[in-house]
């Protein structure tokens, strides 16, 4: 196989030699130097980009069991930390002070929280347990070379489930740990990606899922006593199953699925009979299925072109609850034991506000308000949903942000990661900054995106990979015909899979864009799939094909962006964290080296203390300033 690759793609292997050791990068000027912060004046128009980066909203939120406390993440200190506040409103209190948290959950006792932390973005987490007052904590699991994925607590909180690659560094096995001691035992030895979901209340069973592609999974019921595994859902056509919420007696659970349909629906599964009952379905995906603590109220959301619509049902009566009036946006929810539901809302003009709705009384209170860092919410631009036909007839959707009072502005096409993700109308500081500078932004949902049905999400699988890249070129053609923006002054940017899309389109369609900005993107698919982090390998098999087979070795050797990097002549901007475990920094190194050797312009930010994302505020400011200056320079109108 290795001989086959040498014959097929000499260019790939020649470049591998220069970038195998990321510590020997020969361009020290690519390591960013932090510059002093100058935010400009409040009310100044256009506003400085630093203000958009310093905007503060609540991140992930969760109500305590008694509904009296709200825990949430915030990067107000410069890295994501855990905070807590009175659920009726008041002054938040910071709980964690380390390198940044990766997740948190309330313990069933309502008095403790578990959280994870890694080292500079390497995604190898340690676990900690902390009292809700923040005055004591202990380490449950130390840092290691293994990747971990937290599952859930048992009903009494005496144990918790998690997946880990500690056995062989590749496969996610299922473990159960003692909450008091942190000692763990292996429940299920897996191949590739198996993950724990939810314990049966006061029972011996644990729902676990097997990843079968970016947008699908199989579902099993694992007996934690005798370790027997029962298959619940393993359809011939792969499907998605999410949001498992058990009834109080453990006899059935609620979930969302798109089995035998285009969009995910709300369903109920009965353990004794194996019967599936569909409770709610339509032409919109069902998301975020949740039950409150006493199992009376069931909530879910539907995705309407990116916007969330909230639904609540009393499962004891079967009646729907009249939904509270809440601002438009994208929601995330959390229940207390009783009737209180927290709703975090992110929208074009709000970075993360939190409302608490008492479903029983109907009372709604905003308990946390975003801080826009001196920016005026009224100046933010609400996106317009647009669609256009690709050259093969597929309808592509996007969110178009148009600057106010600017005729035919330049445009940036923003490509999300995933690829199975969706551009949604959430707070996007970088987007609002560019729009404020008179540059339009098209946040595009190329084929392969979620939110538009199962068929659309799979239109870029395997051999169809380049069809989604072509959508970007077709977007330019549509913009030129539409006339609201200047399609001749267009740049493309994206991160992770979106970074791959930038790398690909700039080489395959070198005349389409005036500039490109690629963040933590893939350049060599053969290497990327062979050496993917354990968290990606399982989904990669379906999305991209099994790279262990000669067929896919050949396909990706021919269809990797690095093979067309020599065709890139437009200015390029790259960003990559040296600690990235998903797409190693060498993926960007190779692209930069080829383009520079050809004598074309490249600006490169190579952060030594970041991973697959830029978390630290000092780095985010440097990154934001340099990227904004790059785009403004290359999209300026010719004089």
């Amino acid at each position: 196989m290795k001989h086959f690759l040498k014959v097929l793609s000499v260019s790939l292997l020649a470049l591998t030699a220069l970038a195998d050791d990321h510590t020997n990068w020969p361009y020290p000027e690519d390591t960013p130097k932090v510059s002093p912060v100058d935010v400009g004046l409040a009310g100044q128009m256009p506003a400085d980009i630093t203000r958009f980066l310093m905007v503060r909203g609540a991140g992930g939120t969760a109500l305590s069991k008694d509904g009296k406390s709200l825990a949430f993440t915030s990067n107000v200190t410069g890295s994501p930390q855990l905070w807590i506040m009175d659920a009726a409103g008041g002054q938040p209190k910071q709980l964690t002070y380390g390198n940044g948290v990766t997740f948190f959950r309330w313990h069933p006792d309502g008095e403790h929280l578990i959280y994870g932390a890694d080292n500079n973005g390497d995604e190898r987490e340690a676990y900690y347990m902390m009292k809700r007052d923040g005055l004591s904590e202990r380490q449950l699991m130390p840092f290691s070379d293994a990747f971990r994925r937290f599952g859930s607590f048992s009903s009494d909180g005496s144990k918790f489930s998690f997946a880990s690659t500690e056995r062989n560094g590749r496969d996610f096995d299922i473990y159960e740990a003692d909450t008091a001691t942190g000692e763990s035992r292996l429940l299920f030895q897996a191949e590739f990606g198996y993950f724990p979901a939810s314990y049966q209340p006061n029972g011996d069973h644990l729902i676990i899922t097997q990843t079968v592609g970016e947008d699908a999974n199989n579902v099993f019921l694992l007996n934690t006593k005798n370790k027997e595994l029962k298959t619940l859902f393993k359809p011939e056509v792969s499907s998605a199953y999410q949001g498992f919420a058990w009834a109080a007696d453990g006899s059935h659970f609620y979930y969302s699925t798109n089995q035998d349909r285009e969009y995910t629906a709300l369903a109920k599964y009965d353990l004794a009979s194996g019967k599936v009952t569909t409770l709610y379905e339509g032409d919109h995906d069902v998301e975020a299925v949740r039950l409150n603590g006493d199992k009376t109220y069931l909530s879910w959301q539907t995705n309407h072109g990116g916007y969330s619509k909230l639904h609540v049902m009393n499962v004891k009566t079967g009646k729907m609850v009249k939904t509270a009036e809440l601002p438009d946006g994208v929601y995330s929810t959390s229940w207390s034991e009783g009737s209180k539901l927290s709703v975090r809302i992110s929208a074009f003009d709000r970075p993360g506000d939190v409302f608490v709705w008492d479903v029983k009384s109907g009372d709604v209170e905003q308990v946390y308000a975003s801080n826009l860092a001196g920016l005026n919410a009224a100046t933010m631009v609400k996106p317009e949903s647009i669609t256009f036909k690709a050259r093969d007839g597929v309808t592509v959707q996007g969110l178009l942000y148009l600057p106010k009072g600017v005729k035919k502005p330049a445009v940036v096409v923003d490509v999300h990661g995933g690829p199975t993700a969706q551009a949604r109308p959430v707070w996007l500081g970088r987007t609002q900054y560019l729009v404020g500078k008179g540059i339009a932004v098209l946040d595009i949902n190329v084929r392969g995106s979620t939110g538009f049905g199962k068929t659309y999400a799979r239109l870029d699988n395997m051999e169809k990979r380049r069809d989604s890249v072509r959508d970007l070129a077709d977007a330019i053609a549509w913009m030129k015909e539409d006339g609201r923006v200047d399609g001749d002054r267009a740049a493309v940017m994206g991160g992770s899979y979106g970074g791959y899309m930038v790398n690909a389109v700039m080489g395959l369609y070198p005349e389409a864009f005036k500039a490109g900005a690629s963040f933590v993107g893939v350049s060599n698919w053969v290497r990327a799939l062979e050496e993917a982090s354990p968290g990606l390998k399982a989904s990669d098999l379906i999305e991209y094909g099994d790279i262990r087979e000669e067929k896919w070795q050949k396909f990706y050797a021919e269809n990797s962006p690095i093979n067309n990097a020599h065709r890139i002549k437009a200015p390029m901007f790259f960003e990559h964290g040296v600690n990235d475990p998903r797409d190693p920094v060498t993926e960007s190194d190779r692209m930069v080296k080829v383009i520079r050797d050809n004598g074309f312009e490249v600006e490169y930010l190579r952060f030594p203390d970041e991973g697959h994302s830029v978390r630290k505020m000092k780095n985010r400011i440097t990154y934001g300033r340099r990227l904004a200056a790059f785009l403004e320079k290359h999209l300026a109108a010719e004089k």
Side-chain angles (χ1 to χ4, degrees):
M1 187 64 72
K2 289 183 178 179
H3 175 70
F4 161 77
L5 281 175
K6 287 179 182 177
V7 173
L8 182 64
S9 189
V10 174
S11 62
L12 285 177
L13 295 181
L15 288 164
T16 299
L18 79 89
D20 276 342
D21 183 0
H22 65 72
T23 62
N24 291 331
W25 186 241
Y27 304 99
E29 65 273 17
D30 292 336
T31 300
K33 293 179 174 57
V34 177
S35 56
V37 175
D38 180 8
V39 300
L41 301 175
Q44 181 177 320
M45 295 293 288
D48 188 87
I49 189 153
T50 306
R51 287 194 180 271
F52 290 89
L53 297 173
M54 289 186 169
V55 160
R56 298 289 179 263
T61 58
L63 278 173
S64 61
K65 182 177 180 179
D66 58 15
K68 293 181 178 180
S69 297
L70 180 76
F72 63 96
T73 56
S74 172
N75 64 355
V76 66
T77 62
S79 61
Q81 301 293 348
L82 181 59
W83 295 68
I84 195 168
M85 63 179 290
D86 191 310
Q91 181 67 35
K93 175 183 177 181
Q94 185 175 349
L95 295 181
T96 60
Y97 293 84
N99 194 38
V101 302
T102 52
F103 80 92
F104 78 92
R105 301 284 190 281
W106 280 101
H107 186 273
D109 67 7
E111 295 299 322
H112 296 83
L113 300 110
I114 189 172
Y115 71 89
D118 66 5
N119 287 302
N120 291 324
D122 68 359
E123 299 184 17
R124 292 165 171 86
E125 298 168 321
Y127 290 169
Y128 300 86
M129 186 73 76
M130 172 177 281
K131 286 201 69 174
R132 68 191 285 173
D133 62 10
L135 298 180
S136 65
E137 67 178 320
R138 56 190 172 89
Q139 188 179 72
L140 280 178
M141 292 187 168
F143 292 105
S144 74
D145 290 333
F147 291 87
R148 296 184 179 122
R149 185 85 61 85
F150 184 79
S152 63
F153 284 106
S154 60
S155 298
D156 63 2
S158 64
K159 55 194 176 185
F160 64 88
S161 61
F162 68 99
S164 174
T165 62
E166 63 186 70
R167 178 172 56 87
N168 62 9
R170 185 195 74 172
D171 301 315
F172 276 96
D173 300 323
I174 306 296
Y175 291 84
E176 184 176 72
D178 186 292
T179 305
T181 65
E183 294 181 2
S184 62
R185 66 186 183 104
L186 178 66
L187 292 179
F188 178 74
Q189 184 171 307
E191 182 178 12
F192 289 114
Y194 282 74
F195 302 99
S198 182
Y199 277 102
Q200 181 185 31
N202 304 308
D204 298 328
H205 291 95
L206 174 67
I207 296 174
I208 65 173
T209 65
Q210 176 196 13
T211 298
V212 285
E214 287 274 349
D215 65 337
N217 51 0
N218 295 325
V219 184
F220 306 88
L221 197 63
L222 177 65
N223 188 311
T224 60
K225 297 294 186 184
N226 60 27
K227 300 183 181 181
E228 289 183 356
L229 192 71
K230 175 185 177 181
T231 301
L232 297 185
F233 306 114
K234 193 176 181 179
E236 184 175 339
V237 177
S238 61
S239 303
Y241 308 85
Q242 296 175 324
F244 306 101
W246 286 94
D249 62 1
S251 64
H252 60 276
F253 59 82
Y254 303 93
Y255 64 104
S256 64
T257 182
N258 59 6
Q259 183 176 338
D260 303 323
R261 53 174 53 89
E262 274 294 312
Y263 294 92
T264 54
L266 175 67
K268 180 177 77 171
Y269 178 83
D270 183 82
L271 260 65
S273 65
K275 180 182 178 181
V276 172
T277 304
T278 300
L279 302 177
Y280 181 97
E281 62 182 328
D283 293 333
H284 308 282
D285 278 336
V286 167
E287 304 171 331
V289 179
R290 307 270 192 271
L291 266 173
N292 74 324
D294 69 11
K295 314 299 184 183
T296 298
Y297 297 104
L298 177 71
S299 65
W300 67 95
Q301 294 154 213
T302 45
N303 179 343
H304 296 252
Y307 288 91
S308 298
K309 182 178 180 181
L310 182 61
H311 309 261
V312 176
M313 179 174 69
N314 185 318
V315 296
K316 294 182 178 179
T317 66
K319 295 182 178 179
M320 298 298 295
V321 177
K322 183 180 179 181
T323 306
E325 292 187 9
L326 295 167
D328 291 339
V330 179
Y331 300 166
S332 58
T333 57
S334 168
W335 282 103
S336 68
E337 179 79 9
S339 59
K340 291 183 178 179
L341 178 70
S342 71
V343 184
R344 175 193 179 267
I345 304 178
S346 179
F348 75 96
D349 57 352
R350 57 181 79 232
D353 292 350
V354 183
F355 295 78
V356 174
W357 171 29
D358 190 319
V359 175
K360 191 172 183 179
S361 70
D363 294 337
V364 181
E365 294 290 340
Q366 182 173 354
V367 300
Y368 183 94
S370 306
N371 184 334
L372 285 173
L375 299 170
N376 185 348
T379 64
M380 303 305 156
V381 171
K382 184 177 181 178
E384 174 188 343
S385 178
I386 61 93
T387 59
F388 64 88
K389 291 283 188 182
R391 66 188 68 182
D392 60 357
V394 171
T395 299
V396 178
Q397 188 265 359
L399 298 173
L400 180 62
Y401 296 78
L402 288 170
K404 299 174 182 179
V406 180
K407 186 177 180 179
K408 295 204 72 168
V411 62
V412 172
V413 179
D414 196 353
V415 194
H416 64 67
T420 49
Q422 181 184 0
R424 303 185 69 168
V426 295
W427 169 257
L428 299 169
R430 183 170 62 199
T431 294
Q432 293 293 343
Y433 169 78
L434 291 173
V435 175
K437 295 287 285 188
I439 298 173
V441 176
L442 175 60
D443 204 358
I444 193 169
N445 284 305
V446 294
R447 68 189 71 195
S449 302
T450 49
F452 306 95
K454 184 191 295 186
T455 299
Y456 191 79
R458 299 179 180 184
L459 288 179
D460 67 339
N461 283 7
M462 298 187 179
E463 292 97 336
K464 302 174 183 177
R465 185 65 38 203
R466 282 187 173 180
D467 291 353
S468 61
V469 179
R470 191 181 64 222
D471 287 342
L472 299 178
D474 290 347
I476 293 294
W478 169 78
M479 286 187 283
K480 289 180 178 179
E481 182 178 343
D482 178 76
R484 281 178 288 176
V485 303
D486 186 350
D488 290 321
R489 288 192 294 140
V492 60
M493 70 179 179
S496 192
Y497 184 84
Y500 150 71
M501 292 284 282
V502 173
N503 293 342
V505 75
M506 294 300 289
L508 289 171
Y509 302 91
E511 306 302 323
F513 294 95
K514 289 194 68 177
S518 169
F519 325 128
V520 295
V522 167
S523 61
N524 176 359
W525 275 119
V526 176
R527 188 231 52 83
L529 295 173
E530 286 183 335
E531 301 176 16
S533 70
L536 298 177
K537 278 187 177 294
S539 61
D540 287 350
L541 292 174
I542 305 299
E543 181 76 24
Y544 303 98
D546 192 339
I547 199 63
R548 295 171 295 185
E549 298 175 3
E550 183 173 321
K551 168 186 176 180
W552 296 112
Q553 289 270 349
K554 180 178 180 180
F555 178 80
Y556 285 111
E558 294 174 344
N559 289 280
S560 290
I562 192 65
N563 289 337
N564 291 304
H566 65 281
R567 301 181 65 204
I568 298 176
K569 298 177 175 58
M572 290 292 295
F573 182 103
F574 289 87
E575 178 278 321
H576 219 120
V578 171
N579 301 318
D580 190 343
R582 295 173 178 248
D583 298 321
V585 68
T586 50
E587 289 296 296
S588 289
D589 289 350
R590 292 186 179 98
M591 293 291 292
V592 170
K593 182 69 164 57
V594 169
I595 298 169
R596 280 180 175 165
D597 286 352
N598 284 339
F600 293 101
E601 179 182 347
V602 178
E603 187 167 348
Y604 189 19
L605 299 186
R606 200 173 185 271
F607 289 105
D609 56 348
E610 299 285 4
H612 197 61
S613 61
V614 182
R615 292 185 188 171
K616 296 180 174 63
M617 180 55 67
K618 63 183 179 67
N619 293 336
R620 293 179 66 222
I621 291 173
T622 299
Y623 173 30
R625 280 191 177 283
R626 295 272 294 273
L627 174 63
F630 172 86
L631 292 173
E632 291 170 43
K633 172 184 175 182
H634 294 293
L635 293 181
E638 294 183 5
K639 296 181 180 180

PDB file of all heavy atoms in Angstrom, residues 361-376:
ATOM      1  N   SER A 361     -46.492  27.893  36.496  1.00  0.00           N
ATOM      2  CA  SER A 361     -47.124  29.188  36.775  1.00  0.00           C
ATOM      3  C   SER A 361     -47.207  30.083  35.545  1.00  0.00           C
ATOM      4  O   SER A 361     -48.017  31.009  35.496  1.00  0.00           O
ATOM      5  CB  SER A 361     -46.341  29.926  37.867  1.00  0.00           C
ATOM      6  OG  SER A 361     -45.069  30.353  37.371  1.00  0.00           O
ATOM      7  N   GLY A 362     -46.342  29.821  34.572  1.00  0.00           N
ATOM      8  CA  GLY A 362     -46.300  30.649  33.370  1.00  0.00           C
ATOM      9  C   GLY A 362     -45.375  31.835  33.471  1.00  0.00           C
ATOM     10  O   GLY A 362     -45.180  32.561  32.492  1.00  0.00           O
ATOM     11  N   ASP A 363     -44.766  32.059  34.630  1.00  0.00           N
ATOM     12  CA  ASP A 363     -43.879  33.206  34.821  1.00  0.00           C
ATOM     13  C   ASP A 363     -42.572  33.021  34.044  1.00  0.00           C
ATOM     14  O   ASP A 363     -41.992  31.937  34.017  1.00  0.00           O
ATOM     15  CB  ASP A 363     -43.552  33.389  36.301  1.00  0.00           C
ATOM     16  CG  ASP A 363     -44.775  33.774  37.125  1.00  0.00           C
ATOM     17  OD1 ASP A 363     -45.732  34.310  36.535  1.00  0.00           O
ATOM     18  OD2 ASP A 363     -44.773  33.523  38.345  1.00  0.00           O
ATOM     19  N   VAL A 364     -42.108  34.107  33.418  1.00  0.00           N
ATOM     20  CA  VAL A 364     -40.844  34.110  32.679  1.00  0.00           C
ATOM     21  C   VAL A 364     -39.999  35.282  33.171  1.00  0.00           C
ATOM     22  O   VAL A 364     -40.486  36.409  33.246  1.00  0.00           O
ATOM     23  CB  VAL A 364     -41.058  34.250  31.161  1.00  0.00           C
ATOM     24  CG1 VAL A 364     -39.721  34.226  30.428  1.00  0.00           C
ATOM     25  CG2 VAL A 364     -41.958  33.154  30.645  1.00  0.00           C
ATOM     26  N   GLU A 365     -38.744  35.010  33.486  1.00  0.00           N
ATOM     27  CA  GLU A 365     -37.840  36.068  33.919  1.00  0.00           C
ATOM     28  C   GLU A 365     -36.517  35.952  33.164  1.00  0.00           C
ATOM     29  O   GLU A 365     -35.984  34.853  33.000  1.00  0.00           O
ATOM     30  CB  GLU A 365     -37.554  35.968  35.425  1.00  0.00           C
ATOM     31  CG  GLU A 365     -38.753  36.216  36.313  1.00  0.00           C
ATOM     32  CD  GLU A 365     -39.209  37.666  36.313  1.00  0.00           C
ATOM     33  OE1 GLU A 365     -38.394  38.546  35.933  1.00  0.00           O
ATOM     34  OE2 GLU A 365     -40.366  37.914  36.682  1.00  0.00           O
ATOM     35  N   GLN A 366     -35.996  37.074  32.683  1.00  0.00           N
ATOM     36  CA  GLN A 366     -34.644  37.073  32.147  1.00  0.00           C
ATOM     37  C   GLN A 366     -33.688  37.220  33.328  1.00  0.00           C
ATOM     38  O   GLN A 366     -33.720  38.213  34.046  1.00  0.00           O
ATOM     39  CB  GLN A 366     -34.419  38.216  31.160  1.00  0.00           C
ATOM     40  CG  GLN A 366     -33.016  38.199  30.564  1.00  0.00           C
ATOM     41  CD  GLN A 366     -32.824  39.215  29.450  1.00  0.00           C
ATOM     42  OE1 GLN A 366     -33.774  39.879  29.038  1.00  0.00           O
ATOM     43  NE2 GLN A 366     -31.603  39.319  28.955  1.00  0.00           N
ATOM     44  N   VAL A 367     -32.843  36.200  33.527  1.00  0.00           N
ATOM     45  CA  VAL A 367     -31.977  36.192  34.709  1.00  0.00           C
ATOM     46  C   VAL A 367     -30.525  36.512  34.368  1.00  0.00           C
ATOM     47  O   VAL A 367     -29.724  36.793  35.263  1.00  0.00           O
ATOM     48  CB  VAL A 367     -32.049  34.823  35.435  1.00  0.00           C
ATOM     49  CG1 VAL A 367     -33.474  34.547  35.883  1.00  0.00           C
ATOM     50  CG2 VAL A 367     -31.533  33.688  34.556  1.00  0.00           C
ATOM     51  N   TYR A 368     -30.188  36.469  33.083  1.00  0.00           N
ATOM     52  CA  TYR A 368     -28.824  36.811  32.674  1.00  0.00           C
ATOM     53  C   TYR A 368     -28.906  37.561  31.356  1.00  0.00           C
ATOM     54  O   TYR A 368     -29.543  37.105  30.403  1.00  0.00           O
ATOM     55  CB  TYR A 368     -27.962  35.558  32.512  1.00  0.00           C
ATOM     56  CG  TYR A 368     -26.520  35.857  32.169  1.00  0.00           C
ATOM     57  CD1 TYR A 368     -25.558  35.944  33.168  1.00  0.00           C
ATOM     58  CD2 TYR A 368     -26.113  36.046  30.853  1.00  0.00           C
ATOM     59  CE1 TYR A 368     -24.228  36.217  32.865  1.00  0.00           C
ATOM     60  CE2 TYR A 368     -24.788  36.327  30.538  1.00  0.00           C
ATOM     61  CZ  TYR A 368     -23.855  36.413  31.548  1.00  0.00           C
ATOM     62  OH  TYR A 368     -22.542  36.696  31.245  1.00  0.00           O
ATOM     63  N   ALA A 369     -28.270  38.714  31.305  1.00  0.00           N
ATOM     64  CA  ALA A 369     -28.257  39.542  30.096  1.00  0.00           C
ATOM     65  C   ALA A 369     -26.838  39.635  29.544  1.00  0.00           C
ATOM     66  O   ALA A 369     -25.876  39.807  30.301  1.00  0.00           O
ATOM     67  CB  ALA A 369     -28.787  40.942  30.390  1.00  0.00           C
ATOM     68  N   SER A 370     -26.713  39.518  28.244  1.00  0.00           N
ATOM     69  CA  SER A 370     -25.416  39.640  27.596  1.00  0.00           C
ATOM     70  C   SER A 370     -24.839  41.041  27.791  1.00  0.00           C
ATOM     71  O   SER A 370     -25.571  42.013  27.973  1.00  0.00           O
ATOM     72  CB  SER A 370     -25.539  39.371  26.094  1.00  0.00           C
ATOM     73  OG  SER A 370     -26.153  38.138  25.835  1.00  0.00           O
ATOM     74  N   ASN A 371     -23.517  41.123  27.735  1.00  0.00           N
ATOM     75  CA  ASN A 371     -22.828  42.415  27.762  1.00  0.00           C
ATOM     76  C   ASN A 371     -22.187  42.611  26.391  1.00  0.00           C
ATOM     77  O   ASN A 371     -21.305  41.839  25.995  1.00  0.00           O
ATOM     78  CB  ASN A 371     -21.759  42.417  28.859  1.00  0.00           C
ATOM     79  CG  ASN A 371     -21.069  43.755  29.009  1.00  0.00           C
ATOM     80  OD1 ASN A 371     -20.999  44.542  28.060  1.00  0.00           O
ATOM     81  ND2 ASN A 371     -20.551  44.036  30.189  1.00  0.00           N
ATOM     82  N   LEU A 372     -22.636  43.611  25.673  1.00  0.00           N
ATOM     83  CA  LEU A 372     -22.158  43.841  24.311  1.00  0.00           C
ATOM     84  C   LEU A 372     -20.898  44.707  24.238  1.00  0.00           C
ATOM     85  O   LEU A 372     -20.537  45.195  23.165  1.00  0.00           O
ATOM     86  CB  LEU A 372     -23.260  44.452  23.457  1.00  0.00           C
ATOM     87  CG  LEU A 372     -24.361  43.478  23.015  1.00  0.00           C
ATOM     88  CD1 LEU A 372     -25.485  44.219  22.322  1.00  0.00           C
ATOM     89  CD2 LEU A 372     -23.799  42.402  22.101  1.00  0.00           C
ATOM     90  N   ALA A 373     -20.222  44.858  25.353  1.00  0.00           N
ATOM     91  CA  ALA A 373     -18.908  45.531  25.378  1.00  0.00           C
ATOM     92  C   ALA A 373     -18.943  46.916  24.736  1.00  0.00           C
ATOM     93  O   ALA A 373     -18.025  47.300  24.011  1.00  0.00           O
ATOM     94  CB  ALA A 373     -17.852  44.651  24.705  1.00  0.00           C
ATOM     95  N   GLY A 374     -20.000  47.663  24.999  1.00  0.00           N
ATOM     96  CA  GLY A 374     -20.095  49.015  24.473  1.00  0.00           C
ATOM     97  C   GLY A 374     -20.662  49.105  23.077  1.00  0.00           C
ATOM     98  O   GLY A 374     -20.760  50.208  22.514  1.00  0.00           O
ATOM     99  N   LEU A 375     -21.054  47.962  22.492  1.00  0.00           N
ATOM    100  CA  LEU A 375     -21.667  47.972  21.165  1.00  0.00           C
ATOM    101  C   LEU A 375     -23.170  48.191  21.287  1.00  0.00           C
ATOM    102  O   LEU A 375     -23.789  47.812  22.281  1.00  0.00           O
ATOM    103  CB  LEU A 375     -21.398  46.643  20.453  1.00  0.00           C
ATOM    104  CG  LEU A 375     -19.935  46.293  20.210  1.00  0.00           C
ATOM    105  CD1 LEU A 375     -19.809  44.854  19.729  1.00  0.00           C
ATOM    106  CD2 LEU A 375     -19.315  47.240  19.190  1.00  0.00           C
ATOM    107  N   ASN A 376     -23.752  48.768  20.271  1.00  0.00           N
ATOM    108  CA  ASN A 376     -25.183  49.046  20.249  1.00  0.00           C
ATOM    109  C   ASN A 376     -25.894  47.912  19.523  1.00  0.00           C
ATOM    110  O   ASN A 376     -25.672  47.684  18.333  1.00  0.00           O
ATOM    111  CB  ASN A 376     -25.442  50.377  19.546  1.00  0.00           C
ATOM    112  CG  ASN A 376     -26.895  50.793  19.600  1.00  0.00           C
ATOM    113  OD1 ASN A 376     -27.780  50.020  19.960  1.00  0.00           O
ATOM    114  ND2 ASN A 376     -27.149  52.045  19.247  1.00  0.00           N
TER     115      ASN A 376
END
